Amino acid sequence: MSETIELSVGGMTCGSCAARIERKLNKLEGVQAAVNYATGKAFVQYDAGIEAATLIKTIVDTGYSAELPKVDAEDQDTSGPIRRRLVASALLSLPVLVVTMVPAARFTGWEWFAFLLSTPVVTWGAWPFHRAAVLNARHRATTMDTLISLGVTAAYVWSVVTLVQNPGVGTANPTAMGKTADTYFEVAAAVTTFILLGRYLEARAKRQSGAALRALLAMGAKDVAVLRDGVETRVPIQLLRVGDVFVARPGEKIATDGVVVDGASAIDASMLTGEPVPVEVGVNDTVVGATTNAGGRLVVQATRVGADTQLAQMARLVEQAQNGKAAVQRLADRVSAVFVPVVIAISLLTLAGWVMAGHSWEEAFTASVAVLIIACPCALGLATPTALLVGTGRGAQLGILIKGPQVLESTRTIDTIVLDKTGTVTTGRMSLHEVIVADGEDRQEVLKLAGALEHASEHPIARAIADSALEHHGALPAVETFTSEQGMGVRGRIEGHDILVGRPAWLLREVGVHLSDTLAEAMAKAEQQGRTVVAASWERRVRGLLVVSDSVKPTSLQAIEELRSLGLRPVLLTGDNATSATAVAREVGIDEVIAEVLPADKVDVVTRLQREGRTVAMVGDGVNDAAALAAADLGLAMGTGTDVAIEASDLTLVRGDLRAAADAIRLSRATLRTIKGNLFWAFAYNVAALPLAASGKLNPMIASAAMASSSVFVVTNSLRLRRFRAWSTTPAETMRP
C-alpha cells in the first residue's frame, strides 16, 4: 500500500536543482517523486515502511533543505532577499560601468575604485550563486548556478590579478567599446546585477502565477457562529465538527459544506464555480463551504469539514496537477541534466580555440565567459511549471479542475466526445412539460386534482406533476384515500371524485376508459418526441394528459456547437429508449446516438470506439459512468455528479454546465501550447546564442541581460493564460466559438 507526502524544498535556484533532487529520491526503492522548482514542492509517493524522515534526509544529503509544509502558514514573498541584493548591486555597479565605459569619466586610480565597488557585488551580491555552486560541487554535480558562479568569478579574479600585476592598467588605450582590454570588473558586476534582476522578476512572476491557488485556499471562512442550545457562539473554523449546526448571515461566507436545516437564501458560488448567477437554496439543499450567502439567514448542519470539504479537495487536485510533469517537460529535464557539463566543456574549448587561432588571451577570455553566461538554461526549468501553475490556477477560478499534466497531452489528440444523457445533456430531473385537456375541461382543475393525488407519491414523475401543481396553486386539496399501483399509477378520492392518474394503458385496462381522438393524437406526438405521458381520469372519463420529460439543459445546444468548433464529434450515450434519446439528440444537434445501453456496457461502447481508431473523451456524472470515464482517453466528470465519477475522471467540471467541457478542453490545449512555446523559445535561445558567444560576437554583459530576459519571457508568456476567458460564463448572444 502506497502513501503520498508533500515536502517543502528550500535552496533550489533553478530547474536543474529540482531535476537532481528528483533523481535522488527516485533512486530509493518504492519511491516515485516529482519535484517542482516553480512551487518549491516535492510530491512523493512511497511504499509503506518508508518514513518521511528518510525522504527529508535524502533531500538534505543532496544539498538542499526539506520539511513538511506548515499548517496554515502564511504565504511568503521570496522576492524580498533577492530585491535587497539587487538594489545594492545595482547602486554599486552603475558607477563601475560609467567609469569603465566612459573614458571622460575616468580619474587617477579609477581602476581601484572599480575594484572596491565591484567586490561586494561579486561576493555578497552573487553569494546565492556561489553557495549553490559549492554545494553542488560537493555532491559532484553542476547546475546553472555553476555557470553563473564560474563566469562571474573568472571575470573578477582575472581583473584582480591583472590590476595587482599592472597597477597602471587603467591608463591603457580604451577599445572601441570605451573600456580597457585588460580588466573585467564591470563585466563581473553587471552580470551579477542582470542575473539578480532576472531572478527577482522571475520570483515576482512565479508568485503571480500561483496567485489563483492561494486565492482558492484563502477563500474559506476563518471563524463560524455555531448554534448550541439556541445560542450562537463564534469559534475558529478549526473547531467546527461534522454534525454541528451553524448560522450564515447575509454577506457571510458559508463556513463549510453542509445541508440547510432552516431558512432560504441565494448563494453566490462564483469564486468556486465561475458561475456568475446566484443559486437559490432552501431547507434540505446542500451548500458548499467558502461560497457567499447573498440573501437571507441560513442555518446549516455541517456534513464535511477540513480536508474533506469540496474547497480543500479542489485545492488538493490543483496542487497535485501543478507538481506533476508533462511529457514534454521530461525531455527538458534530460537536456538540463547534461547541458551544464557540456557548456563548461564548450567554454574551455572556446578559450583554447581563440588562443590557438592567434588571438589575445583577453579576447579568448571574453568569449569563454560569454559562453558560460549565455548558456544558463534557466528558462528550460521554468517552461512547464509556470504554465501549469497559471493554467491550473485559472481553471480552478473557472470551476475546471485539471488532475495532472498528462491530461494536457490527451486533450490535444481527442476527436470524439461521448456524452451521457441524463444529468449531463439533460437536467436529470423530471419536469411537467405541458397539460393537454379534453374538450370542455379546465386545465387548472386537471392540474390541481392530479397534482394533489401525485403529491402523496415519491415517484420522480409524480414529484414533477406535484411540484408544478404546487407552483400554480399553492395549497392543494387533501387526499381522502390513496393507493399506489406499482409502476402503473395511483388512485384516490379528492373533493368527492374517485381519481386515477397513471399510464394511459393502465387506465384503459383497469377502468375501461378511452382517449378521445384529440388526446390520442396528442399522446402519439408527445411520445414521438421522447416524452412520458400520464393520464388523469375521474368518473370513467379521461380529463387530460400530463406530459412529463427530463428537460434538456438550456446551455446544451450551445455546448455541442462549441465542442464541434474544437473539432470534436459528439456521441450521445444513454440507457434510455431510442425514441427519447433521439429526441434529445435532435434538440441539441447530435447526429450519433447509442441508446438502451446498460451501465456495465458503457465501457464496451468506449472501447469499441477506440478500436475504430477514435481518441475518445467521455463526459458523465453518475456512478454508472465511472468505469467508462476511466476507460476513455480523457474523462470529464460533472462536479454536480457522484464522488465516484469525479474520482475516475481526468478533468472535473465543478458546474453542471456542459459548456464547461469545451472550456476545459480549450484551457488544457492553451496550457499545452504555452508549455511547448516556452520550451521552443528556451531551446532556440540557447542554440542560437551559444555560437554567437563562442565566436566573440556577444559581450558577457549583453549575454547576462539576454539570459535573464529569457527566463522572464518564459514566465510572462505563461502569465498570459490568466486572461483565458470561459465561453460558459459568456452570454450566448456574445459567444463566438
Side-chain angles (χ1 to χ4, degrees), residues 531-542:
R531 299 190 171 103
T532 301
V533 178
V534 174
S537 167
W538 59 87
E539 296 170 1
R540 304 184 65 81
R541 183 180 171 207
V542 177

Side-chain angles (χ1 to χ4, degrees), residues 86 100 123 161 177 208 271 301 364 373 416 461 471 672 705:
L86 170 62
T100 306
T123 53
V161 171
M177 290 184 64
Q208 286 181 323
M271 278 296 289
Q301 184 173 34
I373 300 301
T416 300
I461 293 177
E471 184 180 339
L672 182 62

Side-chain angles (χ1 to χ4, degrees), residues 324-334 384 388 405-409 412 672 675-676 679:
K325 288 183 187 289
V328 288
Q329 176 64 16
R330 297 190 191 104
L331 173 62
D333 288 345
R334 288 195 294 270
T384 294
L388 274 177
Q406 68 282 355
V407 174
L408 307 178
E409 306 282 352
R412 179 174 56 88
L672 182 62
I675 289 173
K676 290 186 172 182
L679 288 171

Side-chain angles (χ1 to χ4, degrees), residues 23 34 58 94 211 229 325 368 376 403 494 566 571 653 668 714:
R23 285 197 301 275
T58 301
L94 185 60
D229 300 323
K325 288 183 187 289
S368 63
C376 293
K403 285 195 175 179
I494 303 174
L566 294 173
V571 177
L653 314 174
S668 296
V714 162

Side-chain angles (χ1 to χ4, degrees), residues 487-509:
M488 296 297 173
V490 293
R491 65 174 82 213
R493 187 171 180 82
I494 303 174
E495 294 183 347
H497 298 292
D498 290 320
I499 302 174
L500 291 87
V501 180
R503 296 188 178 191
W506 174 65
L507 294 181
L508 175 62
R509 185 175 66 251

Side-chain angles (χ1 to χ4, degrees), residues 398-628:
L398 298 171
I400 299 166
L401 304 185
I402 303 170
K403 285 195 175 179
Q406 68 282 355
V407 174
L408 307 178
E409 306 282 352
S410 301
T411 60
R412 179 174 56 88
T413 57
I414 59 170
D415 52 34
T416 300
I417 185 160
V418 177
L419 306 168
D420 172 56
K421 182 177 79 71
T422 306
T424 301
V425 176
T426 65
T427 61
R429 297 185 302 274
M430 302 299 284
S431 60
L432 183 64
H433 180 71
E434 63 177 327
V435 180
I436 305 167
V437 296
D439 294 339
E441 298 294 337
D442 179 42
R443 180 176 282 100
Q444 294 302 321
E445 180 73 5
V446 171
L447 177 60
K448 181 182 73 172
L449 295 178
L453 185 60
E454 294 281 41
H455 193 258
S457 173
E458 291 299 323
H459 193 279
I461 293 177
R463 298 307 310 163
I465 296 171
D467 289 346
S468 182
L470 283 168
E471 184 180 339
H472 284 83
H473 294 281
L476 297 174
V479 180
E480 298 173 23
T481 61
F482 177 82
T483 305
S484 176
E485 302 289 341
Q486 189 66 34
M488 296 297 173
V490 293
R491 65 174 82 213
R493 187 171 180 82
I494 303 174
E495 294 183 347
H497 298 292
D498 290 320
I499 302 174
L500 291 87
V501 180
R503 296 188 178 191
W506 174 65
L507 294 181
L508 175 62
R509 185 175 66 251
E510 287 290 306
V511 197
V513 297
H514 293 277
L515 296 178
S516 66
D517 292 341
T518 303
L519 291 181
E521 184 180 336
M523 184 178 76
K525 182 179 179 182
E527 288 179 340
Q528 285 174 358
Q529 295 172 336
R531 299 190 171 103
T532 301
V533 178
V534 174
S537 167
W538 59 87
E539 296 170 1
R540 304 184 65 81
R541 183 180 171 207
V542 177
R543 307 290 174 157
L545 302 176
L546 300 106
V547 181
V548 180
S549 65
D550 176 9
S551 56
V552 171
K553 291 179 180 177
T555 57
S556 289
L557 174 61
Q558 182 182 328
I560 300 303
E561 293 174 352
E562 293 169 5
L563 291 170
R564 286 188 187 279
S565 73
L566 294 173
L568 305 180
R569 178 179 175 183
V571 177
L572 188 67
L573 178 65
T574 179
D576 284 358
N577 63 75
T579 303
S580 175
T582 303
V584 170
R586 190 185 306 117
E587 188 172 343
V588 298
I590 297 177
D591 301 324
E592 189 172 351
V593 180
I594 304 174
E596 300 178 21
V597 177
L598 295 175
D601 296 333
K602 288 189 174 183
V603 176
D604 296 335
V605 172
V606 170
T607 55
R608 175 172 60 80
L609 291 171
Q610 289 170 330
R611 284 196 302 271
E612 292 173 1
R614 302 198 211 179
T615 307
V616 180
M618 167 80 188
V619 186
D621 71 330
V623 173
N624 60 343
D625 299 320

Side-chain angles (χ1 to χ4, degrees), residues 268-271 273-279 398 655 657 659 728-729:
D268 179 3
S270 57
M271 278 296 289
T273 67
E275 178 58 57
V277 181
V279 179
L398 298 171
R655 296 193 307 281
D657 189 340
R659 292 180 301 172
S728 57
T729 56

